[in-house]
Amino acid sequence: MSHPHPDLGLPPALAPGALRIVALGGLGEIGRNMTVFEIDGRLLIVDCGVLFPEPDQPGVDLILPDFDYIRDRLDDVEALVLTHAHEDHIGAVPYLLRERKDIPIVGSRLTLALIESKLVEHRIQPTTVEVVEGQRHRFGPFECEFLAVNHSIPDALAVAIRTDAGLVLHTGDFKMDQLPMDGRLTDLGGFARLGAEGVDLLMSDSTNAEVPGFVTSERDIAPVIDDIFHSSDQRIIVACFASHVHRVQQVLDAAEQHGRKVALMGRSMVRNMGVARDLGYLRVPAGLMVDSRDIESWPPEDVVLICTGSQGEPMAALSRMANRDHPVRIAEGDTVLLASSLVPGNETAVNKVINGLTRWGARVIHKGNARVHVSGHAAAGELLYVLNLTRPSNFLPVHGEWRHMRAHAKLAALTGVPDEHIVIAEDGVVVDLVDGRTSIVGAVPCGYVFVDGTSVGDVTDVALKDRRILGDEGFISVVVVIDSTTGRLTGGPEIHARGSGIDPDVFDDVIPQIEKALQEAAADGIADVQQMRRLVRRAVGRWVSDTYRRRPMIIPVVVEI
Amino acid sequence: MSHPHPDLGLPPALAPGALRIVALGGLGEIGRNMTVFEIDGRLLIVDCGVLFPEPDQPGVDLILPDFDYIRDRLDDVEALVLTHAHEDHIGAVPYLLRERKDIPIVGSRLTLALIESKLVEHRIQPTTVEVVEGQRHRFGPFECEFLAVNHSIPDALAVAIRTDAGLVLHTGDFKMDQLPMDGRLTDLGGFARLGAEGVDLLMSDSTNAEVPGFVTSERDIAPVIDDIFHSSDQRIIVACFASHVHRVQQVLDAAEQHGRKVALMGRSMVRNMGVARDLGYLRVPAGLMVDSRDIESWPPEDVVLICTGSQGEPMAALSRMANRDHPVRIAEGDTVLLASSLVPGNETAVNKVINGLTRWGARVIHKGNARVHVSGHAAAGELLYVLNLTRPSNFLPVHGEWRHMRAHAKLAALTGVPDEHIVIAEDGVVVDLVDGRTSIVGAVPCGYVFVDGTSVGDVTDVALKDRRILGDEGFISVVVVIDSTTGRLTGGPEIHARGSGIDPDVFDDVIPQIEKALQEAAADGIADVQQMRRLVRRAVGRWVSDTYRRRPMIIPVVVEI
């Protein structure tokens, strides 16, 4: 999905005064959002996030947008606008700043505070420009106007980008909670004003375009949490996203009301809530918080633990509690609340956690059995409002997989955007806005960039293919030592296997076949190491396939001495 | 979850006249259902199914129940009762029959026909006993009465087992569709009659115990399918389970009504529907079916394809269509209907298929956006009926993970089964019924038995752990050739790596460190191959960890010549 359309070539040079838009991530996937705008040789970037790997990308920690397209032009970047501080929008910032550390980072107060606290860990001191909704800022040829949007993290922004080519509205991630916890509404009046001015291109969040209707208010969770506190006479453990300030606030409020102390657990939870509290986004009553290390010294009915691990992450506290591998021992009557979404791909891991906790006697409450989570993304009903208020000339669904972008495109068509003015693009596809009309003009290479340990980009698709084979089938290595003058076998064959599930004893069966193959090779005058390797691989491969109907990776090593 | 309670020892000898119940699968997991009943030295087995592997069991094809507990006592087995022909109830039969091929297999007409057609592929001719609901059959000390139950495959049975120790009712898998397609209702009258007689132990399907309310009738899907046919003017492709005769029937009916031809695709689909048609369970109008190989010669608006692959299986036709790797080319306007459940664990794979199909322009309809599937398992509302009708003295929830068994236990408690008469067990836990009372008396070893290729049980947890490491990190192998007389390095170090994502060129950096370690060893008089291996592993491991913060598997090979 991340590869360009097979029939698209490289784009032509950009005409003066035309606007070019290339997503380096976020189209065809949910994650690694990053869009590059270009006019008259200058660049503006919106967001720079990470994507989390799928099971067929084993061992990968993170996936970055592919910076190749802009790598040689980083000096042309006027600014990096961050719409909000979720990982899929800011996670790749440290990696981009490694390549040019003084790119001005533009964002709201909380967004900047969270990215700065993250960059401290990478020992990077960024150049920042703090903005507030309602303001306009010019970055080279890009005049940006910021609008408040409501999302599952405070202080999120949409950005309207005015250039000589026209006005583009990028919504960022948003929903339209009409009774938001912080009173900060999505600025529909602003959207309407832009609509009246004339939106040449709308780029809008597609995540929930398939979901009919409207997202419930965050406030509607409060009575459910209250009920849970009422009916709990043992420990309460709440797992949620480490950036969901309002969700944590609701738990703090309930704890205060029910006379329980609160401990936070998980590095990112402690860090983010510290920032949010310091800046006044999180209200923490005096005396409410206790140290999580002291949690066992409090009676179970007097405490609430708020932790990470709601996605079943195996190293998080919650998974370890489920496996009885954590100081907090789940006991009969404890209540565990998974107050979060279930990110696609994590179903199996979360199910394991729920079963583990249940086994030890906990009551587990999750979005499947109670309204303890509402989505952060506008559903179809809300998306229609935005389309109708902004009345865009052109529409580009963003932030979604194919299914979401197609569904969003259909909504746009229903509100009257002509089909030929709706563009569905993938990562790397080049969309130009010229004379008030968008069109696809080409595609640039845009692959996955894998982070594994400290290395970025070293792990390639080839390595992943090897990992998949090794992970499914294991390997058999066969070492033979050959006398380089006579071509004779002087050591080995020595056979090692791991993960193959084949009893090492049976390798004796194949050794004569390897020896025979090498003897024949010597008789035929074959002295080439490559050819000998092939012969060994073939002999072992045939044997294992015939005997076990399996295909482990076979590694023939020929050492000449 | 499959391991016995940590604090349970082996069970005592079984008292004469007492009934022992041991599940070798199906408790703590959904899959590999198999329960062994024992009285006075004789055994009765109910079901013998497979479990499908999870992502942390890579490369595994199937997981079998652990036959160890009965392996030495197969001659004591009176019969194997199959409640119905789903894979999680019959899939391990070929493997059990390999160990004793004349175990009498007891089941309904369709169940036996399907297992027989499966056993043909394993070249096994089973000994069978066909039974019909309402009948009683004696198998040694076990008198079995069979009762009709409604499920997502026709001809399913519950079994009441009368022994000197009391009456056990095992529901098998069931739901309570009150308007079933074949008019065959779950025999609630029979359940009531048994309740009046006195059910000493109820073992009941827990799959949907967490789901409130009632399962919709299979018939309610018909109007949805009809709507889909009405609104489709291109090809229709329906994916569903290969054993869901009634679901396929509904598609055939719609096709007939809308004048479309039908082609079946997928080996198991063709085989099972052939059996169902031959026995009269599937009504196939004359002239309706066409060969799937000719499908491209029919106009798209005149055909329906029914195929497997609804779970995103990568080799199935549907996944290949999504990847444009199949003769059937998905085109704009095609409709794909996933008329099946989404089995937990398959979410990512199915999402990929939906996105792939959507990308090529197909409209994809699935249980997330239309009522095109109903579950085959009774929900909480229905489970309460069974508990109230049978009024069991003791209750053992079966067919579920911990979350499902706990939820079912709660339902039992609500209907008045005393807490101390409710037993939640895991695989291998030994439950005795003595004097009308069940209790846990111990546990027997009961591990996972992995099938991989043609081998059964060769792949162990150790091999899987190796596979997980190899799959996440790859490996580095280091070959050194040592002169056995001098202890000197005479060949290598030769380094190979796969899946590590480390550039082979950089291995030059570590070679001096390996050589140094071996020189020091030689100087210290270390001539032991094991010790040399350790030194090589340590040198390379330290280097890769310091340089890349990674932990590939390191395979040191020391060849002495």
Side-chain angles (χ1 to χ4, degrees), chain B residues 90-114:
Chain B
I90 66 165
V93 171
Y95 300 92
L96 183 64
L97 294 191
R98 277 193 205 171
E99 311 210 9
R100 182 190 147 200
K101 67 177 181 193
D102 64 345
I103 296 175
I105 299 184
V106 181
S108 66
R109 195 160 165 238
L110 181 66
T111 303
L112 290 183
L114 289 173

Coordinates of all heavy atoms in Angstrom, one line a residue, chain B residues 90-114:
Chain B
I90 N -13.2 -32.0 15.3 CA -12.9 -33.3 14.6 C -11.5 -33.3 14.0 O -11.0 -34.3 13.6 CB -13.9 -33.6 13.4 CG1 -13.7 -32.5 12.3 CG2 -15.3 -33.7 13.9 CD1 -14.4 -33.0 11.0
G91 N -10.8 -32.1 14.0 CA -9.6 -31.9 13.3 C -8.4 -32.9 13.7 O -7.5 -33.2 13.0
A92 N -8.5 -33.3 15.0 CA -7.4 -34.2 15.5 C -7.7 -35.6 15.4 O -6.9 -36.5 15.8 CB -7.0 -33.8 16.9
V93 N -8.9 -36.0 14.9 CA -9.3 -37.4 14.8 C -8.2 -38.2 14.0 O -7.8 -39.3 14.4 CB -10.7 -37.5 14.2 CG1 -11.0 -39.0 13.8 CG2 -11.7 -37.0 15.1
P94 N -7.8 -37.7 12.8 CA -6.8 -38.5 12.1 C -5.5 -38.8 12.9 O -5.0 -39.9 12.8 CB -6.4 -37.6 10.9 CG -7.5 -36.6 10.7 CD -8.1 -36.4 12.1
Y95 N -5.1 -37.9 13.8 CA -3.9 -38.1 14.6 C -4.2 -39.1 15.7 O -3.3 -39.9 16.1 CB -3.4 -36.7 15.1 CG -3.1 -35.8 14.0 CD1 -4.0 -34.9 13.5 CD2 -1.8 -35.8 13.4 CE1 -3.7 -34.0 12.5 CE2 -1.5 -34.9 12.4 CZ -2.5 -34.0 11.9 OH -2.2 -33.2 10.9
L96 N -5.4 -39.1 16.2 CA -5.8 -40.1 17.3 C -5.9 -41.4 16.7 O -5.4 -42.4 17.2 CB -7.1 -39.7 18.0 CG -7.5 -40.6 19.1 CD1 -6.5 -40.5 20.3 CD2 -8.9 -40.2 19.6
L97 N -6.5 -41.5 15.5 CA -6.6 -42.8 14.8 C -5.3 -43.4 14.4 O -5.2 -44.7 14.2 CB -7.6 -42.7 13.7 CG -9.1 -42.4 14.0 CD1 -10.0 -42.6 12.8 CD2 -9.6 -43.2 15.2
R98 N -4.3 -42.6 14.2 CA -3.0 -43.1 13.9 C -2.5 -44.0 15.0 O -1.7 -44.9 14.8 CB -2.0 -42.0 13.7 CG -2.0 -41.4 12.4 CD -0.7 -40.5 12.3 NE -0.9 -39.4 11.3 CZ 0.0 -38.4 11.1 NH1 1.0 -38.4 11.9 NH2 -0.3 -37.5 10.2
E99 N -3.0 -43.7 16.2 CA -2.5 -44.4 17.4 C -3.3 -45.6 17.7 O -2.8 -46.6 18.3 CB -2.4 -43.4 18.6 CG -1.7 -42.1 18.2 CD -0.9 -41.5 19.4 OE1 -0.8 -42.1 20.5 OE2 -0.5 -40.3 19.2
R100 N -4.6 -45.5 17.4 CA -5.4 -46.8 17.4 C -6.6 -46.6 16.4 O -7.5 -45.7 16.6 CB -6.0 -47.0 18.8 CG -6.9 -48.3 18.9 CD -7.7 -48.5 20.1 NE -8.9 -49.2 19.8 CZ -10.0 -49.2 20.6 NH1 -10.0 -48.5 21.8 NH2 -11.1 -49.8 20.2
K101 N -6.5 -47.3 15.3 CA -7.3 -46.9 14.2 C -8.7 -47.4 14.3 O -9.6 -47.0 13.5 CB -6.7 -47.4 12.9 CG -6.6 -48.9 12.7 CD -6.0 -49.2 11.3 CE -6.0 -50.7 11.2 NZ -5.2 -51.2 10.1
D102 N -9.0 -48.4 15.2 CA -10.4 -48.9 15.3 C -11.2 -48.3 16.4 O -12.2 -49.0 16.8 CB -10.4 -50.4 15.3 CG -9.7 -51.0 16.6 OD1 -9.0 -50.1 17.2 OD2 -9.8 -52.1 16.9
I103 N -10.8 -47.2 16.9 CA -11.7 -46.6 17.9 C -13.1 -46.3 17.3 O -13.1 -45.6 16.2 CB -11.1 -45.2 18.4 CG1 -9.8 -45.5 19.2 CG2 -12.1 -44.5 19.3 CD1 -9.0 -44.2 19.6
P104 N -14.2 -46.7 17.8 CA -15.5 -46.5 17.2 C -15.8 -45.0 17.3 O -15.7 -44.4 18.3 CB -16.4 -47.3 18.1 CG -15.6 -48.3 18.8 CD -14.3 -47.6 19.0
I105 N -16.1 -44.4 16.1 CA -16.4 -43.0 16.0 C -17.9 -42.9 15.9 O -18.6 -43.5 15.0 CB -15.7 -42.4 14.8 CG1 -14.2 -42.5 14.9 CG2 -16.2 -40.9 14.6 CD1 -13.5 -41.8 13.9
V106 N -18.5 -42.1 16.8 CA -19.9 -42.0 17.0 C -20.3 -40.6 16.5 O -19.8 -39.6 17.0 CB -20.4 -42.3 18.4 CG1 -21.9 -42.2 18.6 CG2 -19.8 -43.6 18.9
G107 N -21.3 -40.5 15.7 CA -21.8 -39.2 15.3 C -23.0 -39.2 14.4 O -23.5 -40.3 14.0
S108 N -23.5 -38.1 14.1 CA -24.7 -38.0 13.2 C -24.3 -38.2 11.8 O -23.1 -38.3 11.5 CB -25.3 -36.6 13.3 OG -24.4 -35.6 12.8
R109 N -25.2 -38.3 10.9 CA -25.0 -38.7 9.5 C -24.0 -37.7 8.8 O -23.0 -38.1 8.3 CB -26.3 -38.7 8.8 CG -26.3 -39.4 7.5 CD -27.7 -39.8 7.0 NE -27.6 -40.1 5.6 CZ -28.4 -39.6 4.7 NH1 -29.2 -38.6 5.0 NH2 -28.3 -39.9 3.4
L110 N -24.3 -36.4 8.9 CA -23.4 -35.5 8.3 C -22.0 -35.4 8.9 O -21.0 -35.3 8.2 CB -24.1 -34.1 8.3 CG -23.2 -33.0 7.6 CD1 -23.1 -33.3 6.1 CD2 -23.8 -31.6 7.8
T111 N -22.0 -35.5 10.2 CA -20.8 -35.4 10.9 C -19.9 -36.6 10.5 O -18.7 -36.3 10.2 CB -21.0 -35.5 12.5 OG1 -21.8 -34.4 12.9 CG2 -19.7 -35.4 13.2
L112 N -20.4 -37.8 10.4 CA -19.6 -38.9 10.0 C -19.2 -38.8 8.5 O -18.0 -39.1 8.2 CB -20.4 -40.2 10.2 CG -20.6 -40.6 11.7 CD1 -21.3 -42.0 11.7 CD2 -19.3 -40.7 12.4
A113 N -20.1 -38.3 7.7 CA -19.8 -38.2 6.3 C -18.6 -37.2 6.1 O -17.7 -37.4 5.3 CB -21.0 -37.7 5.5
L114 N -18.6 -36.1 6.9 CA -17.5 -35.1 6.7 C -16.2 -35.6 7.3 O -15.2 -35.4 6.7 CB -18.0 -33.8 7.4 CG -19.1 -33.0 6.6 CD1 -19.6 -31.8 7.4 CD2 -18.6 -32.6 5.2

